[in-house]
């Protein structure tokens, strides 16, 4: 009789433990963001993007607040490239220098300025302070990537 009572007690204990949280499955309902592509591209979180967008940098000499010469890293151009999967290589679509961008923005008549355009690819600027790239999508539609002007 004590043997049946002991087994019953163990069974009730196991059921109570499982029912009240002793066993739980991991929550897999949350989306995990993709890891960025760490090569300096601006659209680093979009591995399927048909274009790669870079802001190219150069080091120049400037003066600090005391007039001493210092090296400063500045953005020198915006570069748009396409990835050729078959050749496993990237090819430049166009590159526009910061000087050219600033001149085109200053001369703009409209709120939106096309800074470069070729073969369905374009680099644009809006007077709200943002750039965007438009490109043909691999799925047949259009791809657009937008970022804030930071130079």
């Amino acid at each position: 009789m004590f043997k049946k009572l002991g087994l019953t007690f163990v069974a009730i204990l196991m059921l109570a433990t499982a029912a009240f949280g002793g066993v739980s499955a991991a929550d897999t309902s949350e989306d995990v963001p993709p890891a960025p592509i760490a090569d300096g591209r601006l659209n680093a979180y979009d591995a399927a993007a048909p274009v790669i967008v870079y802001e190219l940098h150069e080091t120049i000499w400037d003066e600090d607040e005391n007039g001493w010469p210092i090296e400063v890293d500045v953005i020198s151009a915006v570069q748009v490239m396409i990835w050729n999967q078959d050749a496993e290589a990237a090819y430049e679509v166009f590159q526009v220098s910061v000087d050219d961008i600033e001149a085109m923005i200053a001369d703009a008549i409209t709120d939106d300025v096309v800074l470069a355009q070729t073969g369905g690819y374009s680099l644009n600027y809006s007077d709200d302070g943002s750039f965007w790239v438009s490109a043909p999508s691999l799925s047949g539609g259009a791809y657009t990537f937008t970022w804030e002007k930071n130079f």
Side-chain angles (χ1 to χ4, degrees):
M1 171 150 157
F2 286 112
K3 194 172 189 180
K4 282 185 183 181
L5 187 58
L7 288 174
T8 304
F9 178 73
V10 170
I12 291 172
L13 183 61
M14 287 175 58
L15 287 172
T17 302
F20 294 109
V23 177
S24 64
D27 181 11
T28 58
S29 63
E30 293 184 32
D31 291 333
V32 177
I37 300 168
D39 66 355
R41 68 183 67 184
L42 296 177
N43 53 341
Y45 285 93
D46 190 356
V51 293
I52 306 165
V53 183
Y54 292 103
E55 287 179 336
L56 303 180
H57 294 252
E58 69 179 344
T59 302
I60 64 170
W61 286 97
D62 200 359
E63 292 182 357
D64 68 9
E65 63 275 357
N66 298 316
W68 291 94
I70 59 170
E71 288 185 332
V72 179
D73 185 51
V74 296
I75 298 170
S76 60
V78 174
Q79 181 184 48
V80 175
M81 303 184 78
I82 57 173
W83 176 256
N84 182 320
Q85 185 66 35
D86 296 332
E88 294 187 6
Y91 299 98
E92 184 175 275
V93 176
F94 47 73
Q95 177 177 313
V96 185
S97 73
V98 167
D99 292 339
D100 288 345
I101 290 170
E102 295 292 3
M104 285 185 270
I105 290 171
D107 293 342
I109 299 171
T110 62
D111 293 340
D112 294 337
V113 182
V114 177
L115 302 170
Q117 186 174 19
T118 185
Y121 299 85
S122 68
L123 171 64
N124 310 277
Y125 176 77
S126 177
D127 71 346
D128 69 358
S130 62
F131 290 107
W132 77 94
V133 169
S134 295
S137 173
L138 301 175
S139 62
Y143 171 82
T144 302
F145 174 72
T146 304
W147 74 100
E148 295 299 312
K149 180 178 183 275
N150 60 356
F151 55 84

